[in-house]
Every structure is written in structure tokens, then in C-alpha cells.
């Protein structure tokens, strides 16, 4: 595991400061981060073209794809970035799930991280909404046909509230943020790589939603990406990040698009967490067993 380099001794004979014992930076070179972005985008673009071509052959319009085509295309898009990260990290040896942040945390730690992250994010977003006066809605749910049929609603909810949070947290917080934390950045004796990595990852996370979300929402989304990086950093786990990301998407879908009641949105959040837990929980269990 790559640990931050110690500061040079201030005086001859002085021992350098020991690295933090809980530093969990992955053993990957920094260049893998931009390589993952480029490769992921290339694979995602090709995958989207293939899906659109197949859908068009089945009767879907290229200019106005069907909800099914949009859902499949979005899933393929996200999975291509996951595949790019896995392929690149595997070139350095078999990647460990712990390096991506699949570590169980105590309920108290997880709940506290989600609550504090939500307070910070929604507090800043509320101020931003007042200053900028945002009144546009995300067009992604409508593209996925959430109001067209029950099947489309279920499929779109599964993607927006479970698949997307799992894939995006894996790539942005598990791979990209973790890798960028290996940047050799120090101010005096202080290692600031994690802060810089959080800012850069947050900005890229916001830009990743360009096209699916109105431009006015890219700033709050970038801030959400930054907050999620801080959660990943402080808890050393991806699970609170996926939980908050999923809950935020469920709120956006239930409130802005569907006008659901509080119990209905709560049910969507719990169902999404259950899906995420079933799929990714065993990964954290493997780390727990080896500890």
C-alpha cells in the first residue's frame, strides 16, 4: 500500500513524521486516474453507439430513443467506466476490494457520516438555490419514461437509485479519488493531496452530469461529489457514500418527478439500500473476514 511520503527532517538527526496508521491509499500510480477517465469515456461512447444501433434496428428512433433504450444505454455507460477502472488497476496486480473502499463501518459511524454529509450538502444547496433561483428539473427521469408505465418506473428507479450510485461511487470515490490521493502534494509538513483530490473529483463528478442535468445544477452536484469524497476519506468506506448518493437520487426522483409522499419516498430509499447491500455487502464482508 502506498503511503504519503514523510516530510524531510527539519534538523540533522531528526526522525521524519510517521505516516498515519489508518492511511488507506491504494497502491496505484497517479497516471491511472486520467487514464481511467479517458478509457472509460471511450468505452462508454462505443457502448452507447452499439446500444443505440441495436435499439434502432429494433424500431427505436435515434433522435428520440425509447425509455428502454435510454435505460440500457445509461447502464452500459456507467459500467464502461467501472470496467475501465478494473482493467487499469488489474494491470498493477490483482486489485483488492478494500482499495476501492469496500469496508464495513459501524452503524453509528455510517449513520453519522450520512446525516452530517446530508446536512452539509442540503444546507449549501438551499443557499445556492436562493441565490441562483434554480427552478429547472432533471430531464433524465423523463427520458427514462418514469411516467410511461410501471415497468419503466421500476427499471428507472433501479438504475437511478441503486445501479448509478453503486457504479458512480465505485469509479469516482473508490477509484478516482483514491488514486488522486497519491499526488505528492504537501504544504510544509501537511499532506494536502486528499483535499485536492476531493476538489478535483467533485468537479469531475459535476461535469459528468452535463447533459442529464441542467447546467445550473452542476455546481451543487460538484459540491455533492466533494462531500462524498470527504465521507469516503474520513470513514475509509464506500458504503456511507453509496447510501447518501442513493437517498439523494431517490429524493430527487420522488419529489421532483413523481410527487410522491414521504412514506413512498422512504420506501424507495430503503428498497434501494437493500439492493445495494445485497450486491455490494459481500465485498465488505470479505474485507471483514481478512481483518
Amino acid at each position: 500500500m502506498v503511503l504519503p511520503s514523510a516530510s524531510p527532517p527539519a534538523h540533522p538527526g531528526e526522525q521524519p513524521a510517521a505516516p498515519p496508521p489508518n492511511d488507506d491509499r491504494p497502491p496505484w500510480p497517479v497516471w491511472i486516474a486520467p487514464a481511467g477517465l479517458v478509457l472509460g469515456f471511450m468505452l462508454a461512447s462505443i457502448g452507447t453507439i452499439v446500444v443505440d444501433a441495436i435499439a434502432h434496428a429494433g424500431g427505436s428512433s435515434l433522435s428520440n430513443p425509447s425509455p428502454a433504450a435510454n435505460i440500457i444505454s445509461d447502464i452500459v455507460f456507467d459500467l464502461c467506466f467501472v470496467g475501465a477502472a478494473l482493467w487499469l488497476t488489474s494491470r498493477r496486480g490483482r486489485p483488492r476490494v478494500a482499495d476501492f473502499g469496500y469496508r464495513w463501518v459501524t452503524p453509528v459511524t455510517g449513520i453519522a457520516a450520512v446525516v452530517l454529509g446530508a446536512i452539509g450538502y442540503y444546507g449549501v444547496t438551499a443557499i445556492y438555490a436562493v441565490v441562483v433561483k434554480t427552478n429547472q428539473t432533471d430531464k433524465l427521469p423523463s427520458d427514462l419514461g418514469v411516467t410511461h408505465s410501471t415497468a419503466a418506473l421500476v427499471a428507472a428507479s433501479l438504475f437511478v437509485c441503486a445501479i448509478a450510485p453503486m457504479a458512480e461511487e465505485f469509479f469516482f470515490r473508490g477509484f478516482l479519488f483514491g488514486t488522486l490521493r497519491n499526488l505528492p502534494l504537501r504544504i510544509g509538513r501537511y499532506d494536502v493531496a486528499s483535499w485536492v483530490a476531493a476538489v478535483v473529483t467533485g468537479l469531475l463528478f459535476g461535469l459528468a452530469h452535463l447533459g442529464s442535468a441542467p447546467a445550473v445544477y452542476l455546481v451543487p452536484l460538484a459540491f455533492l461529489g466533494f462531500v462524498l469524497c470527504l465521507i469516503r476519506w474520513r470513514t475509509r468506506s464506500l458504503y456511507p457514500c453509496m447510501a447518501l448518493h442513493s437517498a439523494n437520487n431517490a429524493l430527487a426522483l420522488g419529489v421532483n418527478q413523481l410527487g410522491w409522499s414521504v412514506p413512498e419516498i422512504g420506501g424507495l430509499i430503503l428498497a434501494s439500500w437493500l439492493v445495494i447491500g445485497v450486491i455490494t455487502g459481500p465485498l465488505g464482508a470479505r474485507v471483514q473476514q481478512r481483518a
Side-chain angles (χ1 to χ4, degrees):
M1 182 175 293
V2 177
L3 297 176
S5 57
S7 300
H11 303 286
E14 180 183 344
Q15 294 298 318
N22 291 328
D23 198 311
D24 61 333
R25 306 182 198 208
W28 309 320
V30 175
W31 65 262
I32 280 184
L37 284 169
V38 174
L39 180 60
F41 185 76
M42 290 173 58
L43 293 176
S45 299
I46 295 172
T48 300
I49 293 173
V50 172
V51 171
D52 288 344
I54 294 174
H56 180 64
S60 177
S61 169
L62 288 176
S63 59
N64 188 25
S66 65
N70 282 327
I71 292 174
I72 296 173
S73 178
D74 287 338
I75 292 175
V76 169
F77 191 92
D78 280 1
L79 292 183
C80 282
F81 280 90
V82 171
L86 286 173
W87 186 82
L88 285 169
T89 54
S90 67
R91 301 303 91 192
R92 313 293 299 184
R94 184 177 181 180
R96 303 179 305 167
V97 293
D99 290 331
F100 294 102
Y102 291 107
R103 295 183 181 84
W104 284 359
V105 294
T106 65
V108 172
T109 299
I111 292 172
V114 171
V115 170
L116 291 176
I119 291 174
Y121 168 63
Y122 289 115
V124 171
T125 300
I127 297 173
Y128 178 82
V130 171
V131 174
V132 180
K133 302 186 184 302
T134 59
N135 56 10
Q136 296 173 284
T137 58
D138 192 338
K139 72 174 186 176
L140 178 61
S142 59
D143 289 343
L144 301 182
V146 295
T147 59
H148 292 179
S149 67
T150 301
L153 173 60
V154 172
S157 299
L158 179 63
F159 169 70
V160 171
C161 304
I163 296 175
M166 285 188 288
E168 292 175 8
E169 289 311 307
F170 173 88
F171 183 80
F172 283 99
R173 256 61 62 179
F175 167 71
L176 194 62
F177 173 65
T179 304
L180 291 177
R181 289 179 66 197
N182 287 322
L183 284 167
L185 297 175
R186 306 187 71 88
I187 297 179
R189 295 179 59 85
Y190 296 97
D191 188 337
V192 297
S194 294
W195 289 104
V196 173
V199 172
V200 172
T201 303
L203 292 173
L204 291 172
F205 180 72
L207 289 174
H209 293 81
L210 185 65
S212 64
V216 71
Y217 287 135
L218 298 185
V219 172
L221 285 170
F223 182 68
L224 174 61
F226 173 76
V227 169
L228 291 170
C229 286
L230 297 186
I231 293 175
R232 164 70 178 86
W233 177 17
R234 295 307 185 183
T235 65
R236 305 176 66 239
S237 174
L238 214 57
Y239 290 106
C241 303
M242 290 187 288
L244 179 55
H245 192 156
S246 174
N248 177 71
N249 287 7
L251 284 169
L253 178 63
V255 174
N256 298 334
Q257 297 291 331
L258 303 174
W260 280 3
S261 64
V262 172
E264 289 172 323
I265 296 174
L268 177 59
I269 292 175
L270 292 177
S272 302
W273 285 353
L274 178 61
V275 172
I276 293 173
V278 168
I279 295 175
T280 66
L283 298 175
R286 288 171 56 186
V287 176
Q288 192 79 4
Q289 291 170 356
R290 294 174 181 175

